Amino acid sequence: MVFQYLQHDWDRFIGCAEAYINADTPFGFSCYSLIDALIKKWGYVKSERYLQSFSFRYKNKWIADIQNSIPQDKMNLGDCERIMGFASQPDDTFVPVYYETAMKAEHVSPGFMAKYLSLLNQKAVLRPYALSNFLRPLTAKNHADPKELIFLLKDSEEVLFDSYLLALRGQPPFDSDGCILHALIAHSKQFLSMVVPHLLTSNHDNFSISTLSTLWNAENYMELVTATIESMRATDRRSCYSIGKVFIRDPLGKRDKCDFVLKWINHYITEHCTDMDRMKYLFHILCNCSKAVFKGALITFCKCNRNYDDFDALPLDATSKNWSGSEIPLINSELDSLEELKQELRGIDFIEHRARISAVIQSLRSYKSRTEAEDFIERL
């Protein structure tokens, strides 16, 4: 309000503006009215030069806002050069312009976006959140279309791939709906084999990892999910305990996705039932899913592959257990599931299978007896 009021007295306006800047006043709404007044009086170029003459904490943010204010019909090659030059500065406080501004520059100077993203990639190695913010408009439905950017960078797709991987490391949640991921995979399926190892070998939270779960929404989800699991298996076997949990178990808890997951599990087992490397990996994920899903998967496997040695290589209970209070209800649930599995495996082909299940049941009953005794003693 102060700067709007002082615009009629330019000398006093400049005096207040310099005091405001030199005091390193925190960035806020007042700066917008100051920037707007500078642009109206001097234009974009002179306003930017004026701010460049100062040294204050938010200078780069102010300059980026001036560049973001340039309308499409007024942007010229000189503006594009200044924006690129600003991005080239070796400054840790660099602030990128908006995605929309970079697209304006692209329309004026074809090839601008590829060069600008390449510069951002270099700076985002230490500050990945800068790329998260820059690309965020592409993650919102009914906003910018990722396909347009992919088309512009069709000859520089490595730059775009790197940008996305860096953005995943930035501010979560990024691309939680998978808008960019699906567009990139549709353009090049090889990108999936890049993003999965990246997630496995980086310290990502579940916000970033769960982006992969959006693949269940794709029309060709069977193909994409299989490719994802194969990439997980090839990259890090331990992922069956971490990312596998998010990627398969969590969608099973959603009514609209559960049938898709069950259909994929049955298809994958049927296709690869004799490949025990694949089966071991899958079942170490499934054993920590619901008892019904795990039991169903084991039954499907046995119907496709009756070899006992292969069955013996698979787990029969969860590798990770959590409970509150007494463990007895959990043990009873495991016993019921094993009894049901044993009943399903009838006939001469499954004599050894049933014997193994019986042995596990007996061991679990003994453990239950000890646990009941311990619970009784604790209540005394």
Side-chain angles (χ1 to χ4, degrees):
M1 294 295 293
V2 173
F3 293 110
Q4 290 177 346
Y5 176 75
L6 290 174
Q7 287 182 43
H8 69 280
D9 188 338
W10 193 249
D11 290 337
R12 291 180 64 190
F13 178 93
I14 289 298
C16 288
E18 291 182 359
Y20 186 91
I21 292 171
N22 289 328
D24 211 14
T25 307
F27 189 82
F29 288 111
S30 297
C31 74
Y32 289 114
S33 60
L34 192 157
I35 291 172
D36 287 342
L38 289 175
I39 292 173
K40 289 178 182 177
K41 182 70 175 181
W42 287 336
Y44 302 101
V45 178
K46 187 174 180 180
S47 297
E48 185 176 327
R49 289 174 181 168
Y50 172 73
L51 292 178
Q52 289 282 18
S53 67
F54 292 91
S55 177
F56 62 106
R57 187 188 310 176
Y58 300 102
K59 179 173 72 174
N60 289 341
K61 171 61 177 168
W62 287 36
I63 292 173
D65 282 336
I66 289 177
Q67 295 171 341
N68 288 326
S69 301
I70 305 174
Q72 178 71 71
D73 58 350
K74 292 187 178 180
M75 182 168 285
N76 55 46
L77 288 173
D79 296 324
C80 297
E81 291 174 359
R82 288 202 320 281
I83 294 173
M84 190 67 73
F86 180 54
S88 303
Q89 294 178 359
D91 189 344
D92 291 339
T93 60
F94 160 73
V95 178
V97 296
Y98 294 150
Y99 174 82
E100 294 83 354
T101 303
M103 288 301 289
K104 294 176 192 176
E106 173 67 29
H107 292 144
V108 174
S109 177
F112 175 92
M113 182 62 86
K115 295 176 183 177
Y116 193 72
L117 264 183
S118 181
L119 279 173
L120 287 188
N121 289 350
Q122 297 174 30
K123 293 178 178 294
V125 172
L126 298 178
R127 299 173 60 212
Y129 60 85
L131 263 172
S132 302
N133 291 333
F134 181 77
L135 294 176
R136 201 170 298 280
L138 299 175
T139 68
K141 293 180 179 179
N142 301 321
H143 209 300
D145 189 350
K147 294 178 183 177
E148 182 181 10
L149 180 61
I150 292 172
F151 177 77
L152 288 176
L153 273 67
K154 60 181 181 298
D155 296 326
S156 306
E157 62 180 26
E158 295 84 2
V159 173
L160 182 55
F161 289 169
D162 289 345
S163 295
Y164 184 79
L165 297 178
L166 286 166
L168 283 174
R169 291 173 43 202
Q171 294 176 337
F174 177 77
D175 198 24
S176 57
D177 291 332
C179 295
I180 304 177
L181 177 64
H182 287 238
L184 289 172
I185 293 173
H187 170 70
S188 174
K189 289 182 181 177
Q190 75 175 45
F191 179 69
L192 189 57
S193 64
M194 296 171 60
V195 71
V196 172
H198 179 79
L199 289 171
L200 290 176
T201 57
S202 303
N203 293 323
H204 292 283
D205 53 37
N206 284 349
F207 282 119
S208 296
I209 296 171
S210 62
T211 298
L212 285 175
S213 295
T214 64
L215 295 176
W216 293 102
N217 301 328
E219 291 185 3
N220 59 334
Y221 77 92
M222 298 281 280
E223 176 187 0
L224 296 181
V225 169
T226 296
T228 301
I229 288 293
E230 292 299 320
S231 187
M232 289 181 184
R233 189 174 62 86
T235 304
D236 185 355
R237 297 305 179 90
R238 294 170 297 176
S239 62
C240 63
Y241 301 106
S242 55
I243 292 187
K245 170 185 173 182
V246 177
F247 188 61
I248 291 183
R249 194 174 81 172
D250 287 7
L252 278 169
K254 299 177 181 178
R255 185 176 300 176
D256 60 333
K257 297 292 179 294
C258 184
D259 289 344
F260 291 172
V261 180
L262 294 177
K263 182 178 179 180
W264 176 83
I265 290 173
N266 288 332
H267 173 76
Y268 189 80
I269 292 174
T270 303
E271 288 289 313
H272 304 292
C273 61
T274 58
D275 187 330
M276 291 310 298
D277 190 61
R278 285 185 167 94
M279 292 295 98
K280 288 177 185 177
Y281 183 84
L282 176 66
F283 277 93
H284 273 89
I285 295 175
L286 297 181
C287 69
N288 293 311
C289 296
S290 72
K291 295 288 189 297
V293 171
F294 181 48
K295 181 188 69 177
L298 282 170
I299 292 170
T300 299
F301 172 81
C302 290
K303 288 181 178 179
C304 298
N305 180 353
R306 302 192 175 200
N307 185 283
Y308 172 74
D309 290 335
D310 290 347
F311 174 76
D312 192 41
L314 301 180
L316 287 181
D317 57 358
T319 56
S320 176
K321 302 178 183 180
N322 294 292
W323 67 91
S324 178
S326 174
E327 189 183 357
I328 298 301
L330 178 63
I331 298 173
N332 287 334
S333 176
E334 292 177 348
L335 285 170
D336 290 343
S337 181
L338 288 169
E339 289 286 1
E340 291 170 1
L341 175 64
K342 183 179 174 182
Q343 290 298 319
E344 290 287 341
L345 301 181
R346 301 172 182 174
I348 193 172
D349 291 335
F350 299 116
I351 293 176
E352 292 177 296
H353 299 65
R354 293 194 297 274
R356 181 195 173 198
I357 296 172
S358 295
V360 174
I361 290 174
Q362 184 59 43
S363 176
L364 196 55
R365 284 174 176 165
S366 298
Y367 177 70
K368 176 184 176 181
S369 298
R370 294 195 301 271
T371 302
E372 288 175 329
E374 292 172 358
D375 287 352
F376 177 77
I377 293 173
E378 288 181 359
R379 290 195 298 267
L380 292 178

